[in-house]
Amino acid sequence: MATVVAPKEFSPVEDAENIKKACLGWGTDESAIISILGHRNSFQRKLIRQAYEEIYHEDLVKQLKSELRGSFETAVIQWILEPADRDAVLANAALNKTIPDYRVIIEIACVRSPEDLLAVKRAYRFRYKHSLEEDVAARTTGDIRKLLVAVVSAYRHDGHEIDEDVACSEAGILHDDISGKAFNHEELIRILSTRSKSQLNATFNRYKDLHGTSITKALYPADEYLAVLRTVIRCIYNPKKYFAKLLRSAINKESIDEEVVSRVVITRAEKDLKEIKELFLERNTESLDLVLAGETSGHYKTFLLALSGVVLD
Amino acid sequence: MATVVAPKEFSPVEDAENIKKACLGWGTDESAIISILGHRNSFQRKLIRQAYEEIYHEDLVKQLKSELRGSFETAVIQWILEPADRDAVLANAALNKTIPDYRVIIEIACVRSPEDLLAVKRAYRFRYKHSLEEDVAARTTGDIRKLLVAVVSAYRHDGHEIDEDVACSEAGILHDDISGKAFNHEELIRILSTRSKSQLNATFNRYKDLHGTSITKALYPADEYLAVLRTVIRCIYNPKKYFAKLLRSAINKESIDEEVVSRVVITRAEKDLKEIKELFLERNTESLDLVLAGETSGHYKTFLLALSGVVLD
């Protein structure tokens, strides 16, 4: 379930005007911006951006980029972009790092629905005049490339039909590959990149039944490729658990990886952040909201907490 | 350019009624069916099918299947289906042969536009509850599988931007692979399946400039995989020439491969059959229409000639 709280009734024009007001004069009224944008769903934000453009002949993204700073700026801009376009931007940024952040690519390829992934690929082509597959291939090598290009290229069936015979035989193929340490086996990549998620979940369950251990446990990430492979499987098998763990590892007593925290909160706030928070709490002494309140600060904190559904009065 | 001649003004209801009339009573008036369906474009045929369903609560495809026979039946049914759905049916039939007909898969993956290929994949999932990629993978093995799954999965950028540096460096990679006989090289598959067609055409042209011979000539099909690879390149590089040659090889003095002839005429009649016919004539003493008139017969002949733009009075 979503955490962001959006009103049923709202006026895009009024919101656009109030955002403009918050930007005018000395300084910026960040609280006003948060109280509006932190409580609008993706469709509402789209209408606000359109209204802003019509009234002021100015792109809301550009306006806010010039007004805001730091992690808060980045988070607000990501939040305003349409989800597919946002993912395209996240993917491009992840690929352009010195060492590409494969996790972002895998989340987009394996957590999003087939239609949503497609929308990301379309948005990516539109923005960067390259296909996402092309840029993933250009920024990776070897087995990691084979696996990532395959999962990004996937256009899976998204029905719920399960073929138990296939699940059984492919659980066997995966087990043979993994226990034989032939991790880069073509069959494994074929299975992970062409089967529907329902079918893959049946296969992973069958793997556990037959071998007494889950496939993710069997895959101890001894090198970079295995870590990538394991992330692919976790993002298909149990994305909420994956995100809960990602948040835990991004927030520790010494530091906080704001990039990761922003990405999870922003991309999941309208999807399943509620369940992710519950899973987070199961393995943590404090709730995500309390941790965020303690570890972040300023407008960035207020904004994240708004998206996470915390009502601050 | 298209060859099929469709009137600007038409009435889907009248057409549906006239087709019904042609099906009623003793025997079927095939000529009436040809004179209607052979002269309607894909949008018009869709409206006729809808009108037929609304008036008679019967699917036109089912009705015609029970009325018509043989190659004529197959051709008319293929013609009525919407292009993406037709391609899904063609792909499935090609995969279900004892030896899959890889050409059909390659034509769909490499000749159709990225958006059209996507529509085929969507139609395929809807009809068969599997992804096309999944079924291609299940029916192929080894290097052929790697290549075919990759080109079917592709969602290429379809812009016209060309990066000359990439064209030059990738022409070199292709040449090294081909001259080193490492035909199944990962790089080659990556290039063919992720780059836009405009970029690939620039790369193939650069290949010719640098090495004095076209890439298709350099690839003499010494085995099945090389034949598949060559077909992929020909379908990307010069599909019209590919289809002209396919027609020539499907029609010879001893026999005619009606399946191939129907497929090319039906799938290209609204696209570029005019240019394909011109290319056919360049290397043949007779025009395609004359050859079809001589080598086919009955209603099948009349129907093919109608789609090919021949006005019979």
PDB file of all heavy atoms in Angstrom, chain A residues 17 38 41 50 67 69 76 100 121 166 171 207 213 253 268 271 275 279 303:
ATOM      1  N   GLU A  17      -0.312  28.070  -8.352  1.00  0.00           N
ATOM      2  CA  GLU A  17      -0.189  29.461  -7.881  1.00  0.00           C
ATOM      3  C   GLU A  17       0.486  29.524  -6.515  1.00  0.00           C
ATOM      4  O   GLU A  17       1.337  30.398  -6.273  1.00  0.00           O
ATOM      5  CB  GLU A  17      -1.582  30.114  -7.820  1.00  0.00           C
ATOM      6  CG  GLU A  17      -2.141  30.408  -9.223  1.00  0.00           C
ATOM      7  CD  GLU A  17      -3.605  30.846  -9.199  1.00  0.00           C
ATOM      8  OE1 GLU A  17      -4.260  30.715  -8.129  1.00  0.00           O
ATOM      9  OE2 GLU A  17      -4.086  31.308 -10.247  1.00  0.00           O
ATOM     10  N   GLY A  38       4.207  17.229  -1.285  1.00  0.00           N
ATOM     11  CA  GLY A  38       4.337  16.016  -0.474  1.00  0.00           C
ATOM     12  C   GLY A  38       3.011  15.302  -0.257  1.00  0.00           C
ATOM     13  O   GLY A  38       2.983  14.196   0.294  1.00  0.00           O
ATOM     14  N   ASN A  41      -0.649  12.830  -5.404  1.00  0.00           N
ATOM     15  CA  ASN A  41      -0.227  11.604  -6.098  1.00  0.00           C
ATOM     16  C   ASN A  41       0.299  11.919  -7.505  1.00  0.00           C
ATOM     17  O   ASN A  41       0.253  13.077  -7.942  1.00  0.00           O
ATOM     18  CB  ASN A  41      -1.364  10.575  -6.121  1.00  0.00           C
ATOM     19  CG  ASN A  41      -2.561  11.064  -6.913  1.00  0.00           C
ATOM     20  OD1 ASN A  41      -2.403  11.770  -7.911  1.00  0.00           O
ATOM     21  ND2 ASN A  41      -3.757  10.693  -6.482  1.00  0.00           N
ATOM     22  N   GLN A  50       1.482  20.687 -15.438  1.00  0.00           N
ATOM     23  CA  GLN A  50       0.863  21.235 -16.647  1.00  0.00           C
ATOM     24  C   GLN A  50       0.278  22.623 -16.384  1.00  0.00           C
ATOM     25  O   GLN A  50       0.458  23.547 -17.184  1.00  0.00           O
ATOM     26  CB  GLN A  50      -0.249  20.305 -17.139  1.00  0.00           C
ATOM     27  CG  GLN A  50       0.286  19.049 -17.818  1.00  0.00           C
ATOM     28  CD  GLN A  50      -0.811  18.031 -18.120  1.00  0.00           C
ATOM     29  OE1 GLN A  50      -1.948  18.198 -17.695  1.00  0.00           O
ATOM     30  NE2 GLN A  50      -0.459  16.987 -18.837  1.00  0.00           N
ATOM     31  N   GLU A  67      15.373  27.038  -7.147  1.00  0.00           N
ATOM     32  CA  GLU A  67      14.987  27.489  -5.807  1.00  0.00           C
ATOM     33  C   GLU A  67      15.557  26.614  -4.689  1.00  0.00           C
ATOM     34  O   GLU A  67      15.835  27.095  -3.602  1.00  0.00           O
ATOM     35  CB  GLU A  67      13.457  27.472  -5.654  1.00  0.00           C
ATOM     36  CG  GLU A  67      12.719  28.427  -6.570  1.00  0.00           C
ATOM     37  CD  GLU A  67      12.932  29.893  -6.185  1.00  0.00           C
ATOM     38  OE1 GLU A  67      13.076  30.165  -4.979  1.00  0.00           O
ATOM     39  OE2 GLU A  67      12.972  30.756  -7.091  1.00  0.00           O
ATOM     40  N   ARG A  69      17.902  23.249  -2.916  1.00  0.00           N
ATOM     41  CA  ARG A  69      19.314  22.861  -2.846  1.00  0.00           C
ATOM     42  C   ARG A  69      19.475  21.452  -2.285  1.00  0.00           C
ATOM     43  O   ARG A  69      18.627  20.979  -1.519  1.00  0.00           O
ATOM     44  CB  ARG A  69      20.082  23.809  -1.904  1.00  0.00           C
ATOM     45  CG  ARG A  69      20.250  25.230  -2.385  1.00  0.00           C
ATOM     46  CD  ARG A  69      21.249  25.360  -3.541  1.00  0.00           C
ATOM     47  NE  ARG A  69      21.215  26.685  -4.133  1.00  0.00           N
ATOM     48  CZ  ARG A  69      20.372  27.071  -5.104  1.00  0.00           C
ATOM     49  NH1 ARG A  69      19.484  26.214  -5.596  1.00  0.00           N
ATOM     50  NH2 ARG A  69      20.412  28.284  -5.600  1.00  0.00           N
ATOM     51  N   VAL A  76      12.803  16.377  -4.420  1.00  0.00           N
ATOM     52  CA  VAL A  76      11.577  17.023  -4.939  1.00  0.00           C
ATOM     53  C   VAL A  76      11.497  16.862  -6.457  1.00  0.00           C
ATOM     54  O   VAL A  76      10.444  16.540  -7.007  1.00  0.00           O
ATOM     55  CB  VAL A  76      11.530  18.520  -4.535  1.00  0.00           C
ATOM     56  CG1 VAL A  76      10.394  19.242  -5.244  1.00  0.00           C
ATOM     57  CG2 VAL A  76      11.374  18.657  -3.020  1.00  0.00           C
ATOM     58  N   PRO A 100      29.074   1.694 -12.363  1.00  0.00           N
ATOM     59  CA  PRO A 100      27.610   1.793 -12.462  1.00  0.00           C
ATOM     60  C   PRO A 100      26.933   1.148 -11.260  1.00  0.00           C
ATOM     61  O   PRO A 100      27.408   0.131 -10.735  1.00  0.00           O
ATOM     62  CB  PRO A 100      27.299   1.007 -13.739  1.00  0.00           C
ATOM     63  CG  PRO A 100      28.552   1.048 -14.539  1.00  0.00           C
ATOM     64  CD  PRO A 100      29.670   1.041 -13.541  1.00  0.00           C
ATOM     65  N   LYS A 121      11.624   2.342 -20.767  1.00  0.00           N
ATOM     66  CA  LYS A 121      12.493   2.231 -21.939  1.00  0.00           C
ATOM     67  C   LYS A 121      12.121   3.275 -22.985  1.00  0.00           C
ATOM     68  O   LYS A 121      12.976   3.863 -23.642  1.00  0.00           O
ATOM     69  CB  LYS A 121      12.411   0.820 -22.512  1.00  0.00           C
ATOM     70  CG  LYS A 121      13.066  -0.205 -21.584  1.00  0.00           C
ATOM     71  CD  LYS A 121      13.350  -1.515 -22.276  1.00  0.00           C
ATOM     72  CE  LYS A 121      12.235  -2.492 -22.071  1.00  0.00           C
ATOM     73  NZ  LYS A 121      12.607  -3.862 -22.499  1.00  0.00           N
ATOM     74  N   VAL A 166       7.057 -26.961 -15.611  1.00  0.00           N
ATOM     75  CA  VAL A 166       8.158 -26.056 -15.948  1.00  0.00           C
ATOM     76  C   VAL A 166       8.864 -25.601 -14.660  1.00  0.00           C
ATOM     77  O   VAL A 166      10.094 -25.575 -14.582  1.00  0.00           O
ATOM     78  CB  VAL A 166       7.646 -24.837 -16.763  1.00  0.00           C
ATOM     79  CG1 VAL A 166       8.705 -23.749 -16.842  1.00  0.00           C
ATOM     80  CG2 VAL A 166       7.233 -25.269 -18.163  1.00  0.00           C
ATOM     81  N   ALA A 171      13.521 -25.378 -11.732  1.00  0.00           N
ATOM     82  CA  ALA A 171      14.158 -25.352 -10.396  1.00  0.00           C
ATOM     83  C   ALA A 171      15.375 -26.285 -10.427  1.00  0.00           C
ATOM     84  O   ALA A 171      16.431 -25.968  -9.867  1.00  0.00           O
ATOM     85  CB  ALA A 171      13.161 -25.782  -9.324  1.00  0.00           C
ATOM     86  N   TYR A 207      12.157 -24.691  -5.902  1.00  0.00           N
ATOM     87  CA  TYR A 207      13.578 -24.823  -5.566  1.00  0.00           C
ATOM     88  C   TYR A 207      13.727 -25.063  -4.062  1.00  0.00           C
ATOM     89  O   TYR A 207      14.435 -25.973  -3.626  1.00  0.00           O
ATOM     90  CB  TYR A 207      14.309 -23.541  -5.968  1.00  0.00           C
ATOM     91  CG  TYR A 207      15.816 -23.599  -5.799  1.00  0.00           C
ATOM     92  CD1 TYR A 207      16.640 -23.754  -6.905  1.00  0.00           C
ATOM     93  CD2 TYR A 207      16.411 -23.487  -4.546  1.00  0.00           C
ATOM     94  CE1 TYR A 207      18.018 -23.802  -6.770  1.00  0.00           C
ATOM     95  CE2 TYR A 207      17.788 -23.547  -4.397  1.00  0.00           C
ATOM     96  CZ  TYR A 207      18.596 -23.692  -5.509  1.00  0.00           C
ATOM     97  OH  TYR A 207      19.951 -23.748  -5.374  1.00  0.00           O
ATOM     98  N   THR A 213      16.506 -25.206   0.873  1.00  0.00           N
ATOM     99  CA  THR A 213      17.071 -23.881   1.134  1.00  0.00           C
ATOM    100  C   THR A 213      16.607 -22.941   0.018  1.00  0.00           C
ATOM    101  O   THR A 213      16.396 -23.374  -1.115  1.00  0.00           O
ATOM    102  CB  THR A 213      18.612 -23.920   1.209  1.00  0.00           C
ATOM    103  OG1 THR A 213      19.098 -22.600   1.417  1.00  0.00           O
ATOM    104  CG2 THR A 213      19.234 -24.464  -0.060  1.00  0.00           C
ATOM    105  N   LYS A 253      24.566   3.691  11.936  1.00  0.00           N
ATOM    106  CA  LYS A 253      24.837   4.734  12.935  1.00  0.00           C
ATOM    107  C   LYS A 253      25.837   5.784  12.472  1.00  0.00           C
ATOM    108  O   LYS A 253      25.781   6.926  12.884  1.00  0.00           O
ATOM    109  CB  LYS A 253      25.274   4.095  14.259  1.00  0.00           C
ATOM    110  CG  LYS A 253      24.030   3.826  15.099  1.00  0.00           C
ATOM    111  CD  LYS A 253      24.242   2.850  16.200  1.00  0.00           C
ATOM    112  CE  LYS A 253      22.894   2.345  16.701  1.00  0.00           C
ATOM    113  NZ  LYS A 253      22.945   1.048  17.326  1.00  0.00           N
ATOM    114  N   ARG A 268       8.692   4.084  -4.041  1.00  0.00           N
ATOM    115  CA  ARG A 268       7.737   3.132  -3.439  1.00  0.00           C
ATOM    116  C   ARG A 268       6.589   3.815  -2.690  1.00  0.00           C
ATOM    117  O   ARG A 268       5.637   3.140  -2.279  1.00  0.00           O
ATOM    118  CB  ARG A 268       8.446   2.153  -2.488  1.00  0.00           C
ATOM    119  CG  ARG A 268       9.648   1.432  -3.043  1.00  0.00           C
ATOM    120  CD  ARG A 268       9.489   0.907  -4.450  1.00  0.00           C
ATOM    121  NE  ARG A 268       8.445  -0.106  -4.601  1.00  0.00           N
ATOM    122  CZ  ARG A 268       8.048  -0.575  -5.773  1.00  0.00           C
ATOM    123  NH1 ARG A 268       8.563  -0.126  -6.911  1.00  0.00           N
ATOM    124  NH2 ARG A 268       7.110  -1.495  -5.837  1.00  0.00           N
ATOM    125  N   LYS A 271       3.389   2.967  -3.943  1.00  0.00           N
ATOM    126  CA  LYS A 271       3.220   1.542  -4.265  1.00  0.00           C
ATOM    127  C   LYS A 271       3.054   0.713  -2.998  1.00  0.00           C
ATOM    128  O   LYS A 271       1.965   0.305  -2.652  1.00  0.00           O
ATOM    129  CB  LYS A 271       4.454   1.034  -5.029  1.00  0.00           C
ATOM    130  CG  LYS A 271       4.723   1.766  -6.335  1.00  0.00           C
ATOM    131  CD  LYS A 271       3.892   1.168  -7.434  1.00  0.00           C
ATOM    132  CE  LYS A 271       4.252   1.778  -8.786  1.00  0.00           C
ATOM    133  NZ  LYS A 271       3.362   1.287  -9.832  1.00  0.00           N
ATOM    134  N   GLU A 275       4.159  -1.647   3.455  1.00  0.00           N
ATOM    135  CA  GLU A 275       4.626  -3.001   3.764  1.00  0.00           C
ATOM    136  C   GLU A 275       6.144  -3.017   3.956  1.00  0.00           C
ATOM    137  O   GLU A 275       6.670  -3.764   4.790  1.00  0.00           O
ATOM    138  CB  GLU A 275       4.248  -3.988   2.661  1.00  0.00           C
ATOM    139  CG  GLU A 275       2.754  -4.248   2.531  1.00  0.00           C
ATOM    140  CD  GLU A 275       2.012  -3.185   1.719  1.00  0.00           C
ATOM    141  OE1 GLU A 275       2.656  -2.197   1.296  1.00  0.00           O
ATOM    142  OE2 GLU A 275       0.790  -3.325   1.542  1.00  0.00           O
ATOM    143  N   LEU A 279       8.179  -4.442   7.204  1.00  0.00           N
ATOM    144  CA  LEU A 279       9.298  -5.390   7.146  1.00  0.00           C
ATOM    145  C   LEU A 279      10.554  -4.788   7.770  1.00  0.00           C
ATOM    146  O   LEU A 279      11.352  -5.482   8.393  1.00  0.00           O
ATOM    147  CB  LEU A 279       9.583  -5.795   5.696  1.00  0.00           C
ATOM    148  CG  LEU A 279       8.515  -6.673   5.040  1.00  0.00           C
ATOM    149  CD1 LEU A 279       8.731  -6.757   3.528  1.00  0.00           C
ATOM    150  CD2 LEU A 279       8.551  -8.078   5.661  1.00  0.00           C
ATOM    151  N   PHE A 303      10.248  16.436   4.091  1.00  0.00           N
ATOM    152  CA  PHE A 303       9.704  15.943   2.827  1.00  0.00           C
ATOM    153  C   PHE A 303       9.617  14.414   2.827  1.00  0.00           C
ATOM    154  O   PHE A 303       8.579  13.831   2.501  1.00  0.00           O
ATOM    155  CB  PHE A 303      10.585  16.449   1.676  1.00  0.00           C
ATOM    156  CG  PHE A 303      10.048  16.111   0.318  1.00  0.00           C
ATOM    157  CD1 PHE A 303       8.780  16.515  -0.090  1.00  0.00           C
ATOM    158  CD2 PHE A 303      10.814  15.381  -0.582  1.00  0.00           C
ATOM    159  CE1 PHE A 303       8.285  16.212  -1.350  1.00  0.00           C
ATOM    160  CE2 PHE A 303      10.337  15.063  -1.844  1.00  0.00           C
ATOM    161  CZ  PHE A 303       9.070  15.487  -2.228  1.00  0.00           C
TER     162      PHE A 303
END
